[in-house]
Amino acid sequence: EDKVVQSPLSLVVHEGDTVTLNCSYEVTNFRSLLWYKQEKKAPTFLFMLTSSGIEKKSGRLSSILDKKELFSILNITATQTGDSAIYLCAVEEGIQGAQKLVFGQGTRLTINP
Amino acid sequence: SQTIHQWPATLVQPVGSPLSLECTVEGTSNPNLYWYRQAAGRGLQLLFYSVGIGQISSEVPQNLSASRPQDRQFILSSKKLLLSDSGFYLCAWSQPPILATEAFFGQGTRLTVV
């Protein structure tokens, strides 16, 4: 059974701290790994990773994929209260023409001022 | 540009009543379409996905069904709702890849079964 596991499930830190969110996966026919941020309703896209060892960066957020060890991390530096959200990891898997996105259970991140 | 519409935004239904949630995508053709359910504070559970008209794959056996009567229309249904069907339902689409692409989400439907 395909699965995507995120840790921790919940994290509370102070503004200015750096956090690392983890995502491990076991899927057949891996295609890509994606990170989303969900604040209220629809998740918004952060990163898509397809190659090992290549860091993707956007402002204070960065992410990297390890396809050998089957995991990814999402780093947020100098956190702000606006970073409070559920962070979702998803893996696109499947053969051509039958791809699907499998999500982890999410990490609820709370940034306290 | 592509847009995704999902309605209604909120719904309160009695146990045993039917359900129909609709999702449409504009600005693209032959998208992959998905229905997810999210329990409070949790990740997204894939319910159904479709790679073409009339092609539906079910991930979790349950009280719900899905249909894709048109290329850009995806419908989530139930004949008789259960209390456990309450949750936040999200429709999403992605472009079938040569390269993998992100998924784009609708604004969701919060369903409360009473």
Side-chain angles (χ1 to χ4, degrees):
Chain A
E1 181 183 334
D2 298 333
K3 58 182 180 180
V4 179
V5 178
Q6 291 185 245
S7 64
L9 294 181
S10 180
L11 184 60
V12 181
V13 301
H14 290 292
E15 205 168 17
D17 289 350
T18 293
V19 298
T20 298
L21 310 182
N22 304 289
C23 176
S24 63
Y25 61 91
E26 278 185 53
V27 301
T28 52
N29 300 304
F30 173 89
R31 301 182 72 89
S32 67
L33 186 144
L34 302 97
W35 284 96
Y36 289 84
K37 178 182 181 182
Q38 186 179 24
E39 294 178 83
K40 290 184 178 178
K41 292 190 174 180
T44 55
F45 172 77
L46 295 175
F47 298 110
M48 181 174 71
L49 304 158
T50 55
S51 300
S52 274
I54 299 175
E55 185 183 52
K56 293 242 177 153
K57 198 169 172 65
S58 176
R60 296 177 292 103
L61 278 67
S62 63
S63 184
I64 197 162
L65 173 67
D66 186 327
K67 290 169 74 172
K68 182 179 177 183
E69 300 297 329
L70 307 183
F71 77 91
S72 173
I73 60 172
L74 175 69
N75 279 321
I76 308 176
T77 59
T79 52
Q80 303 171 357
T81 54
D83 295 325
S84 296
I86 296 175
Y87 288 84
L88 297 164
C89 171
V91 173
E92 182 175 14
E93 65 93 17
I95 60 175
Q96 183 80 17
Q99 307 89 354
K100 61 182 180 180
L101 278 178
V102 180
F103 279 81
Q105 65 273 57
T107 294
R108 179 178 288 279
L109 176 64
T110 304
I111 310 297
N112 288 325
Chain B
S1 64
Q2 301 91 356
T3 55
I4 178 169
H5 303 279
Q6 185 182 341
W7 67 93
T10 59
L11 192 59
V12 180
Q13 290 284 99
V15 169
S17 64
L19 172 74
S20 181
L21 302 181
E22 190 161 341
C23 173
T24 59
V25 180
E26 296 176 357
T28 187
S29 60
N30 196 32
N32 289 341
L33 296 171
Y34 310 85
W35 278 110
Y36 291 90
R37 178 169 60 200
Q38 186 174 35
R42 302 291 302 278
L44 300 176
Q45 179 188 36
L46 180 62
L47 302 176
F48 302 96
Y49 72 100
S50 171
V51 297
I53 296 175
Q55 300 179 58
I56 309 294
S57 296
S58 174
E59 290 296 301
V60 183
Q62 55 198 313
N63 186 42
L64 302 169
S65 62
S67 61
R68 186 170 177 172
Q70 300 181 47
D71 180 46
R72 290 167 288 177
Q73 183 185 29
F74 206 23
I75 299 172
L76 183 68
S77 304
S78 174
K79 291 183 180 177
K80 287 185 178 182
L81 284 169
L82 306 172
L83 286 175
S84 57
D85 292 324
S86 294
F88 188 58
Y89 290 82
L90 280 162
C91 178
W93 75 273
S94 67
Q95 194 61 50
I98 295 173
L99 296 175
T101 65
E102 64 186 277
F104 301 89
F105 288 84
Q107 288 301 300
T109 297
R110 180 145 325 267
L111 172 66
T112 305
V113 182
V114 296

